[in-house]
Amino acid sequence: MNKRIQYYSRLTTPADKALIAPDHVVPAPEECYVYSPLGSAYKLQSYTEGYGKNTSLVTIFMIWNTMMGTSILSIPWGIKQAGFTTGMCVIVLMGLLTLYCCYRVVKSRSMICTSDTTTWEYPDVCKHYFGSFGQWSSLLFSLVSLIGAMIVYWVLMSNFLFNTGKFIFNFIHHINDTDTVLRTNNSNPVICPSAGSGGHPDNSSVIFYNDTEVQQFEKWWNKSKTVPFYLIGLLLPLLNFKSPSFFSKFNILGTVSVLYLIFIVTLKAIRLGFHLEFHWFVPTEFFVPEIRFEFPQLTGVLTLAFFIHNCIITLLKNNKNQENNVRDLCIAYMLVTLTYLYIGFLVFASFPSPPLSKDCIEQNFLDNFPSSDTLSFIARIFLLFQMMTVYPLLGYLARVQLLGHIFGDVYPSIFHVLILNLFIVGAGVTMACFYPNIGGIIRYSGAACGLAFVFIYPSLIYIISLHQEERLTWAKLVFHIFIIILGLANLIAQFFM
């Protein structure tokens, strides 16, 4: 429909309003969505004459809310992999780099003088400069980000559902299972799951774990062997809905979840206090060095954490004051960067070392709190319900992009849709069973889709447009080629870390 409207609008001059699409042809606002790969999807507000009526404050918050996603759970782990000082610096530098590339995306339409680009999205810009290759490659990398997000969601939903069920079972049977793992011995327990059975359970715990009822529960409620399959019966039917408008009504849960995570991290930090020592290159028993060569793992996570480039043009179209777009974008990126710094700093600094090593920080930092922790239980419930409402939206977007381009219809038949959904769900279940590492999945998918949308396309388009206008200088050429090299190095480094 978007392509058809663009075609009609080009049959006359921009000043001629005769062939502007009438209201009954344009899809209703509740049928239009913008998504962030690891964040949320929300309805577009209706707008007239190409622009919306959102104030700058609403626009800034909308960008922040769309960019915030489940990658926030892996930021402390990424800082641990990079080293505390290096991690803080990398977050700031990646924020600046992705902001600049996003700025280039926003300005890309204005550098095309031969066509009316008022209704264009970024894939249209890519098609203008690179032809069908630009269109299909942008579709491919967009699908990589979408399917990568859905895989991460499945892994996290399996994790949250498992811990929720475990909390309820232990509460009913008065079981304290934290004695079987390495943990702190205070009123705010923090555990180290990766250490395995590092603790020494007492006799009462041994009696509990030999109980037949507990053994049966552990057999049928296993994080990687059973729980990922239980989600199929719930989520696969939801993916086959023709319209996802019902699920968009719960998008506010994304904001609530992020605010609650900030609250729980702040409260835990106050209770636990700060535990920091600075060792620049040599690790100790409880602390990691400030500079570690595994820092590209953090850059991979951050590429997706700061990724909004494929939908930023659509977001800013709703801004009432278009002249403030760049300013609002910069403020939004600053707030996102500060949020990541805040979460990462508090979780890393307050992690109790000793008795636990900083290397115990998990890829999902909520895993460092036992399933019996009430605050973490509430966080998991919030995130589980939010993801279960966003997951069908992401599946709908994947269906629109793939089936819409191949068959020209987003719902060609129930058979086509079911095959696609089975593939997506199968990928999620497989990863949840055999590679439930959200940090790894995020950094691989982030580096892959970021290579195109964040590093290569914005830089190449800017270089080509300057060359066409005969304004390309050696300094600008070298700088933007350097950005492309950074993107390639970021992707390659993920396979060697």
Side-chain angles (χ1 to χ4, degrees), residues 329-348:
L329 179 66
C330 293
I331 294 174
Y333 258 87
M334 181 186 70
L335 293 177
V336 171
T337 304
L338 290 175
T339 304
Y340 289 150
L341 287 171
Y342 184 82
I343 293 289
F345 171 79
L346 285 188
V347 173
F348 185 91

Side-chain angles (χ1 to χ4, degrees), residues 19 31 39 46 170 186 191 199 208 233 240 332 438 443:
L19 290 179
E31 297 297 329
S46 59
N170 291 344
N186 53 34
I191 63 175
F208 276 130
N240 296 315
I438 65 164
R443 67 187 180 93

Side-chain angles (χ1 to χ4, degrees), residues 177-461:
D177 61 349
T178 58
D179 292 329
T180 62
V181 294
L182 191 62
R183 52 161 286 188
T184 56
N185 296 315
N186 53 34
S187 57
N188 297 289
V190 177
I191 63 175
C192 184
S194 57
S197 300
H200 302 281
D202 55 27
N203 291 332
S204 61
S205 296
V206 174
I207 293 173
F208 276 130
Y209 275 80
N210 286 331
D211 185 81
T212 303
E213 190 174 0
V214 176
Q215 290 177 351
Q216 283 294 109
F217 174 77
E218 292 179 343
K219 177 183 178 181
W220 295 103
W221 197 256
N222 187 285
K223 185 190 294 186
S224 59
K225 295 179 180 178
T226 60
V227 174
F229 293 94
Y230 296 154
L231 287 170
I232 296 177
L234 181 62
L235 292 175
L236 184 58
L238 300 181
L239 286 175
N240 296 315
F241 280 21
K242 284 191 175 182
S243 174
S245 57
F246 170 76
F247 302 104
S248 66
K249 302 179 190 299
F250 299 96
N251 186 58
I252 188 64
L253 289 174
T255 305
V256 174
S257 300
V258 173
L259 294 177
Y260 183 76
L261 283 177
I262 294 174
F263 164 75
I264 189 177
V265 165
T266 304
L267 184 61
K268 293 285 187 182
I270 293 173
R271 292 178 176 178
L272 293 170
F274 288 168
H275 306 267
L276 288 173
E277 286 185 12
F278 295 92
H279 306 274
W280 289 102
F281 299 103
V282 181
T284 64
E285 182 181 1
F286 299 108
F287 295 91
V288 297
E290 299 302 299
I291 300 175
R292 303 181 80 178
F293 291 109
E294 290 89 351
F295 72 88
Q297 296 186 9
L298 177 59
T299 63
V301 171
L302 290 172
T303 304
L304 207 53
F306 285 114
F307 182 69
I308 199 174
H309 300 64
N310 62 334
C311 60
I312 188 62
I313 290 177
T314 309
L315 286 169
L316 291 177
K317 275 183 183 178
N318 278 337
N319 200 357
K320 182 178 181 180
N321 302 308
Q322 291 291 298
E323 66 276 8
N324 295 334
N325 278 348
V326 174
R327 183 201 67 183
D328 296 344
L329 179 66
C330 293
I331 294 174
Y333 258 87
M334 181 186 70
L335 293 177
V336 171
T337 304
L338 290 175
T339 304
Y340 289 150
L341 287 171
Y342 184 82
I343 293 289
F345 171 79
L346 285 188
V347 173
F348 185 91
S350 64
F351 194 82
S353 301
L356 303 180
S357 169
K358 296 289 187 185
D359 264 324
C360 285
I361 297 177
E362 294 291 311
Q363 295 188 17
N364 169 10
F365 74 81
L366 288 177
D367 285 344
N368 286 116
F369 302 116
S371 57
S372 57
D373 184 80
T374 304
L375 290 175
S376 302
F377 168 74
I378 297 172
R380 292 181 179 113
I381 288 290
F382 265 125
L383 289 167
L384 176 62
F385 191 67
Q386 182 239 343
M387 290 179 188
M388 290 175 65
T389 57
V390 174
Y391 189 83
L393 286 172
L394 296 179
Y396 175 77
L397 290 165
R399 186 202 315 167
V400 167
Q401 293 193 13
L402 186 61
L403 300 185
H405 276 77
I406 296 177
F407 299 103
D409 186 354
V410 299
Y411 206 95
S413 73
I414 183 63
F415 175 77
H416 291 85
V417 173
L418 186 59
I419 291 296
L420 174 63
N421 291 336
L422 284 174
F423 170 77
I424 295 173
V425 168
V429 172
T430 301
M431 297 300 282
C433 292
F434 299 104
Y435 190 76
N437 304 318
I438 65 164
I441 301 171
I442 290 174
R443 67 187 180 93
Y444 285 123
S445 58
C449 71
L451 175 65
F453 282 109
V454 179
F455 299 106
I456 292 183
Y457 287 156
S459 298
L460 274 185
I461 287 174

